[in-house]
């Protein structure tokens, strides 16, 4: 689901421009692509962490994934098309080793013919005079659908699909003529994208499917795709601080830049999809479905201090059933300085006692290696900056909350050194190469820079170095992890240029990103899939199958190696965790802000589990209103909770903390301090 190239999803269609007589030119591979395919196959076979043979079993996986990437919702191909492609199902392995690429091009050319047929149906045959009082449903779970056997069945699928989209506009008080115009404009943008496909685009699509059949973090980048991606990423940093990519029809958040406006807002996350953009506080929303990524970036970018409003569907929520969330972000210039850790000290009241709590937010794990190597004294480093913060606040506070939410990782060395600030010494992480050899990342400094009590906040977007740090602290029984299960990415990738293997080729070839190693905690457990499980679990809208490493079908498996030799501290034991959890579970049942937060999470999970949506206007309206009522109630409670005198001494907050995760992180820390641990 995380592909950077065009994938035809539920709403990926275009309209105007195709006629019954217009034919798109058939695309075919080049000799250079044949050579490049053989190189990619050789690299993945020789260097990938998991020595997966290119055989019939892998061929079946490539075949199924390639068809899915073109027609995941079964809205284009007929069953007879799929049956005709079956002759390739167990032969793609032999083909790719020989550099024979005609089959994937044949499949793509059939797809474009079917695409043209669908556009012709919508343009000339489909009536937009929908009966919104009829009780019928649109199936949105592709696994419960099969390819249709006739054009008539396909026509009906498309009628329901367009009706569902029209119904969304209808409920937004759009006139029927406006609805038809907006939908046709939406599809015409995608039509242009499909019409502009060239041979290199099909090659990119197919080779990336091949690379991802080894694991989801291995991929292929053609020269132009790699360059355009870099340009787009750098452009999208300006304004809100989020890198963007396209899943075809929808703009998706590829990552949130630490320290930027989007990161600070905590309202937008990786894999959120952006549906519409509005300028200023009162500007009208513009539907960006089907837009080119460059055009979307131009809409979202803007001068420092100006406001942009976005309508998003949150990560893990299906487009068809999700209720768009409107968020407001004030643009700013993204600076590297914004990625450094920052801290504040809050006075907290708990059970009649007053505590001073330090909150250290760490957006990323960074290290200016060049400056360090050059001998500069003030080189950038997460660990150095956290040490400076600790120097300032550790004598003032009773405990510290380390906030790693949405920290996607960064420097492995920094994860090791930061862990060393809180433990005496010992191994922090184990790295296993494809040959089975294991390297230890160790803290060799026997000093404990901060020996007080602390908790760590994590969420589903905490990954990589964040998982190494929080896992090590948990294994050493040094602190308490609170929040959501982390992402679960326990693999290491490297980017390899194909030109280094054929230096005599004048043209620039593509690059292959492949998985070379895996991370393991000091206790021997891989962080792959499982990530770091919190000691105190907060309600989460993300299940393992909707977001995180486990949402990838081809993700490498979890496994265990021998534990390293390390000595846990005596700070946190099972009895302490059990006592903290007992108090936490009681609050989940009794404290209004947590109860409401859990209801909001439950609603999000319900939205994810739906397999069909109603096309009846009253039913759909009632479902939307019910969801919005719950969301509004949650927002109103967050706004008033800090001013409620009945809550001020129970949960505290000094009148400012509206973040339920941070509030609970502080409360758990206060409970820990009250136990006299340490």
């Amino acid at each position: 689901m995380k592909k950077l190239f065009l994938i035809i999803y539920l709403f990926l269609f275009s309209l105007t421009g195709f006629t019954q007589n217009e034919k798109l030119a058939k695309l075919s591979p080049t000799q250079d692509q044949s050579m490049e395919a053989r190189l990619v196959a050789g690299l993945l076979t020789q260097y990938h962490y998991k020595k997966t043979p290119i055989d019939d079993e892998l061929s079946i996986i490539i075949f199924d994934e390639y068809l899915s990437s073109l027609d995941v919702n079964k809205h284009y191909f007929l069953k007879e098309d799929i049956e005709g492609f079956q002759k390739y199902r167990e032969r793609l392995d032999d083909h790719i080793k020989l550099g024979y690429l005609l089959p994937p091009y044949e499949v793509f050319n059939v797809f474009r013919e079917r695409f043209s047929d669908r556009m012709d149906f919508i343009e000339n045959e489909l009536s937009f005079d929908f009966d919104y009082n009829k009780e019928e449903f649109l199936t949105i779970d592709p696994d419960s659908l099969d390819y249709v056997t006739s054009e008539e069945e396909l026509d009906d699928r498309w009628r329901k699909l367009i009706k569902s989209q029209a119904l969304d506009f209808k409920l937004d008080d759009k006139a029927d003529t406006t609805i038809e115009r907006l939908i046709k404009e939406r599809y015409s943008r995608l039509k242009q994208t499909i019409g502009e496909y060239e041979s290199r685009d099909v090659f990119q699509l197919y080779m990336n499917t091949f690379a991802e059949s080894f694991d989801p973090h291995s991929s292929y980048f053609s020269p132009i795709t790699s360059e355009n991606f870099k340009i787009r990423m750098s452009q999208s940093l300006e304004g809100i601080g989020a890198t963007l990519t396209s899943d075809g029809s929808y703009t998706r958040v590829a990552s949130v830049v630490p320290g930027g406006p989007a990161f600070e807002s905590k309202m937008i996350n990786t894999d959120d999809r952006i549906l519409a953009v509005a300028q200023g506080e009162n500007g009208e929303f513009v539907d960006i479905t089907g837009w080119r990524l460059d055009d979307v970036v131009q809409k979202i970018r803007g001068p420092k201090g100006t406001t942009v409003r976005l309508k998003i569907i949150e990560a893990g929520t299906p487009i068809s059933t999700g209720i768009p969330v409107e968020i407001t972000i004030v643009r700013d210039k993204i600076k590297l300085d914004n990625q450094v850790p920052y801290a504040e000290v809050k006075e907290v009241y708990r059970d009649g006692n007053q505590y001073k709590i330090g909150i250290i937010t760490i957006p990323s794990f960074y290290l200016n290696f060049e400056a360090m190597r050059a001998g500069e004294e003030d080189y950038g480093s997460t660990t150095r900056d956290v040490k400076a913060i600790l120097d300032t606040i550790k004598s003032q506070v009773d405990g510290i909350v380390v906030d790693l939410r949405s920290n996607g990782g960064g420097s492995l060395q920094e994860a090791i050194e930061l862990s060393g600030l809180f433990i005496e010494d010992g191994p922090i992480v184990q790295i296993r190469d494809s040959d089975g050899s294991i390297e230890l990342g160790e803290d060799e400094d026997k000093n404990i820079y901060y020996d007080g009590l602390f908790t760590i906040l994590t969420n589903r977007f905490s990954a990589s170095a964040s998982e190494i740090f929080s896992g090590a602290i948990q294994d050493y029984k040094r602190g308490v992890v609170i929040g959501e299960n982390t992402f679960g990415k326990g693999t290491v990738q490297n980017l390899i240029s194909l030109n280094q293997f054929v230096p005599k080729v004048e043209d620039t070839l593509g690059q292959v990103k492949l998985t070379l190693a895996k991370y393991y905690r000091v206790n021997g457990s891989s962080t792959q899939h499982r990530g770091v499980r919190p000691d105190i679990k907060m309600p989460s809208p993300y299940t393992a199958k909707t977001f995180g490493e486990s949402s990838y079908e081809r993700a490498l498996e979890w496994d265990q190696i021998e534990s390293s030799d390390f000595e846990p501290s005596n700070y946190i034991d099972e009895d302490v965790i059990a006592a903290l959890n007992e108090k936490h579970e009681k609050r989940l049942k009794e404290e209004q802000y947590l109860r409401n937060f859990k209801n909001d999470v439950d609603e999000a999970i319900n939205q994810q589990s739906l397999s069909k949506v109603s096309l009846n206007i009253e039913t759909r309206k009632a479902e939307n209103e019910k969801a919005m009522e719950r969301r509004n109630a949650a927002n109103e409670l967050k706004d008033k909770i800090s001013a409620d005198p009945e809550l001020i001494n129970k949960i505290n907050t000094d009148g400012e903390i509206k973040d339920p995760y941070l509030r609970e992180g502080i409360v758990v820390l206060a409970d820990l301090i009250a136990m006299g641990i340490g």
Side-chain angles (χ1 to χ4, degrees):
M1 72 177 179
K2 308 291 191 301
K3 299 180 179 179
L4 299 176
F5 46 78
L6 178 66
I7 300 177
I8 307 303
Y9 278 105
L10 184 61
F11 300 95
L12 304 191
F13 319 105
S14 66
L15 243 142
T16 59
F18 284 127
T19 67
Q20 286 179 315
N21 297 323
E22 185 178 358
K23 295 292 183 182
L24 290 169
K26 291 187 180 297
L27 300 178
S28 58
T30 66
Q31 287 186 343
D32 287 345
Q33 289 167 353
S34 175
M35 177 268 292
E36 205 163 345
R38 295 194 301 272
L39 271 176
V40 173
L43 274 174
L44 286 165
T45 303
Q46 184 172 357
Y47 295 110
H48 194 274
Y49 177 83
K50 186 176 181 181
K51 302 302 182 184
T52 302
I54 302 178
D55 55 14
D56 289 354
E57 182 179 349
L58 192 69
S59 177
I60 293 171
I61 293 169
I62 299 167
F63 178 85
D64 291 342
E65 287 301 311
Y66 185 57
L67 291 180
S68 178
S69 70
L70 291 171
D71 189 12
V72 66
N73 291 290
K74 304 179 178 70
H75 279 96
Y76 293 98
F77 289 127
L78 298 170
K79 181 166 283 189
E80 64 185 55
D81 297 326
I82 304 302
E83 291 171 349
F85 300 149
Q86 290 298 317
K87 59 181 179 285
Y88 301 130
R89 195 162 191 259
E90 297 184 6
R91 297 169 64 184
L92 295 178
D93 56 320
D94 300 318
H95 291 168
I96 205 161
K97 286 185 285 190
L98 296 171
Y100 180 64
L101 297 173
L102 283 176
Y105 280 81
E106 176 189 325
V107 172
F108 184 83
N109 286 326
V110 172
F111 159 73
R112 286 224 298 189
E113 290 177 11
R114 297 304 183 203
F115 177 87
S116 181
D117 292 342
R118 289 298 92 208
M119 298 307 102
D120 181 64
F121 163 74
I122 295 175
E123 180 70 20
N124 300 304
E125 299 177 44
L126 178 64
S127 170
F128 277 76
D129 185 22
F130 298 114
D131 179 3
Y132 295 111
N133 294 313
K134 184 177 180 180
E135 192 61 51
E136 58 182 346
F137 297 88
L138 170 68
T139 300
I140 59 174
D141 177 14
D143 293 336
S144 63
L145 292 173
D146 196 2
Y147 293 100
V148 299
T149 59
S150 68
E151 293 278 355
E152 290 74 21
E153 289 179 89
L154 203 52
D155 290 349
D156 190 58
R157 267 186 199 179
W158 275 75
R159 179 189 63 79
K160 290 180 178 179
L161 176 67
I162 303 302
K163 180 181 177 181
S164 179
Q165 297 177 33
L167 183 53
D168 287 332
F169 283 120
K170 189 84 170 175
L171 291 172
D172 199 26
D173 295 327
K174 296 290 191 296
D176 290 344
T177 53
T178 302
I179 291 172
E180 183 171 353
R181 175 179 60 80
L182 290 173
I183 288 177
K184 288 185 177 181
E185 287 176 354
R186 171 186 290 183
Y187 294 164
S188 66
R189 291 190 290 266
L190 185 66
K191 182 276 299 183
Q192 183 177 354
T193 302
I194 296 294
E196 291 175 352
Y197 249 58
E198 299 177 357
S199 175
R200 64 189 181 191
D201 299 309
V202 181
F203 182 70
Q204 161 79 33
L205 174 61
Y206 183 62
M207 293 310 297
N208 202 64
T209 302
F210 169 63
E212 288 191 353
S213 69
F214 283 75
D215 87 294
H217 302 293
S218 294
S219 56
Y220 167 82
F221 294 95
S222 67
I224 191 168
T225 301
S226 180
E227 186 61 27
N228 285 345
F229 180 68
K230 291 177 183 177
I231 293 172
R232 286 168 177 167
M233 292 303 100
S234 62
Q235 287 177 331
S236 61
L237 292 179
E238 299 181 24
I240 67 170
T243 59
L244 308 176
T245 186
S246 174
D247 281 344
S249 184
Y250 294 104
T251 297
R252 179 174 61 81
V253 178
S255 63
V256 177
V257 180
F263 180 90
E264 295 292 341
S265 75
K266 300 192 183 300
M267 293 188 293
I268 190 166
N269 291 297
T270 302
D271 272 0
D272 286 349
R273 280 147 297 178
I274 303 173
L275 305 184
V277 181
Q279 307 301 326
E281 297 292 342
N282 303 308
E284 184 177 351
F285 273 101
V286 177
D287 177 17
I288 60 167
T289 307
W291 281 34
R292 292 175 59 86
L293 187 59
D294 292 339
D295 296 330
V296 174
V297 169
Q298 291 300 322
K299 273 285 183 189
I300 295 177
R301 294 171 72 187
K304 175 181 177 180
T306 59
T307 297
V308 62
R309 293 165 22 246
L310 308 175
K311 282 187 178 180
I312 65 169
I313 294 290
E314 296 173 333
T317 303
I319 287 287
S320 302
T321 60
I323 304 298
V325 178
E326 181 179 330
I327 64 174
T328 300
I329 298 178
V330 178
R331 299 179 177 103
D332 200 353
K333 186 175 181 179
I334 311 306
K335 300 177 181 178
L336 292 178
D337 290 347
N338 292 341
Q339 301 185 31
V340 303
Y342 55 91
E344 56 184 327
V345 176
K346 291 187 177 293
E347 291 185 356
V348 175
Y349 298 88
R350 177 72 177 154
D351 294 333
N353 297 315
Q354 178 180 341
Y355 305 101
K356 284 191 175 181
I357 302 297
I359 302 165
I360 302 177
T361 301
I362 304 179
S364 68
F365 288 84
Y366 57 88
L367 171 65
N368 189 334
F369 183 76
E370 294 299 325
M372 181 184 71
R373 189 169 61 177
E376 296 182 18
E377 292 185 3
D378 295 326
Y379 64 86
S381 156
T382 296
T383 304
R384 288 165 61 99
D385 289 333
V386 170
K387 285 178 71 175
I389 289 172
L390 290 172
D391 285 338
T392 302
I393 70 171
K394 65 182 181 181
S395 62
Q396 307 173 26
V397 299
D398 299 296
I400 288 172
V401 176
V402 176
D403 192 347
L404 293 180
R405 288 175 297 169
S406 300
N407 183 325
S411 168
L412 172 63
Q413 181 177 336
E414 288 301 304
I416 294 170
E417 293 193 4
L418 186 68
S419 302
L421 299 183
F422 300 90
I423 66 169
E424 186 173 346
D425 64 349
I428 302 299
V429 63
Q430 304 184 77
I431 307 166
R432 186 180 188 272
D433 292 329
S434 58
D435 62 2
S437 61
I438 296 174
E439 178 184 355
L440 281 182
E442 297 188 74
D443 166 43
E444 298 178 352
D445 184 355
K446 289 185 176 295
N447 293 320
I448 302 178
Y449 204 78
Y450 176 74
D451 62 359
L453 296 173
F454 75 108
T455 58
I456 300 172
L457 294 182
T458 63
N459 64 6
R460 266 288 174 183
F461 306 96
S462 306
S464 189
S466 291
E467 296 178 290
I468 291 170
F469 171 76
S470 54
I473 295 301
Q474 195 177 59
D475 290 340
Y476 276 91
K477 301 185 183 302
R478 181 64 183 84
V480 179
V481 179
I482 305 165
E484 295 175 283
N485 206 100
T486 60
F487 189 91
K489 181 181 180 292
T491 57
V492 186
Q493 285 73 41
N494 196 10
L495 194 63
I496 300 175
S497 171
L498 297 179
N499 277 99
Q500 67 187 37
F501 297 96
V502 280
K504 294 183 179 180
V505 173
E506 294 183 0
D507 294 334
T508 300
L509 301 179
Q511 296 178 309
V512 176
K513 184 179 72 171
L514 54 85
T515 297
L516 298 173
K518 287 178 74 174
Y519 290 126
Y520 293 82
R521 292 166 61 156
V522 293
N523 66 8
S525 173
S526 170
T527 56
Q528 181 69 359
H529 281 294
R530 295 188 179 184
V532 177
R533 294 174 176 173
D535 300 304
I536 310 296
K537 186 176 181 180
M538 288 286 285
S540 171
Y542 307 109
T543 65
K545 292 192 176 295
T546 59
F547 188 81
E549 191 73 7
S550 296
S551 67
Y552 300 113
E553 288 188 17
R554 296 294 295 163
L556 299 186
E557 67 282 349
W558 173 88
D559 61 342
Q560 179 105 17
I561 62 174
E562 186 176 344
S563 173
S564 58
D565 186 14
F566 72 102
E567 186 67 34
S569 73
N570 62 352
Y571 279 75
I572 309 297
D573 59 25
E574 293 180 1
D575 291 338
V576 170
I577 296 298
L580 292 175
N581 264 305
E582 183 178 352
K583 293 176 180 291
H584 169 70
E585 291 297 326
K586 184 178 180 181
R587 285 192 295 274
L588 283 175
K589 295 176 182 177
E590 296 180 356
E591 300 293 1
Q592 187 62 41
Y593 84 106
L594 282 177
R595 289 171 57 190
N596 209 80
F597 175 61
K598 187 176 186 306
N599 289 339
D600 202 32
V601 166
D602 290 342
E603 173 64 23
I605 293 174
N606 289 337
Q607 291 289 333
Q608 296 170 24
S609 63
L610 295 178
S611 61
K612 62 182 182 179
V613 293
S614 174
L615 300 180
N616 177 280
I617 189 168
E618 293 302 325
T619 303
R620 186 87 148 249
K621 183 179 180 181
E623 292 172 350
N624 288 356
E625 288 177 349
K626 185 177 180 182
M628 286 305 297
E629 285 174 4
R630 290 178 180 174
R631 185 180 300 280
N632 290 336
N635 290 336
E636 289 173 7
L637 183 62
K638 290 176 186 176
D639 288 339
K640 78 170 189 176
I641 196 167
S642 62
D644 188 336
E646 293 183 4
L647 297 177
I648 192 84
N649 289 328
K650 281 176 145 179
I651 313 176
N652 163 71
T653 90
D654 57 1
E656 296 179 1
I657 302 173
K658 300 176 183 178
D659 179 342
Y661 273 63
L662 180 56
R663 290 171 73 90
E664 191 64 6
I666 290 173
V667 170
V668 171
L669 179 57
D671 288 342
L672 191 61
I673 296 168
M675 291 179 182
I677 304 299

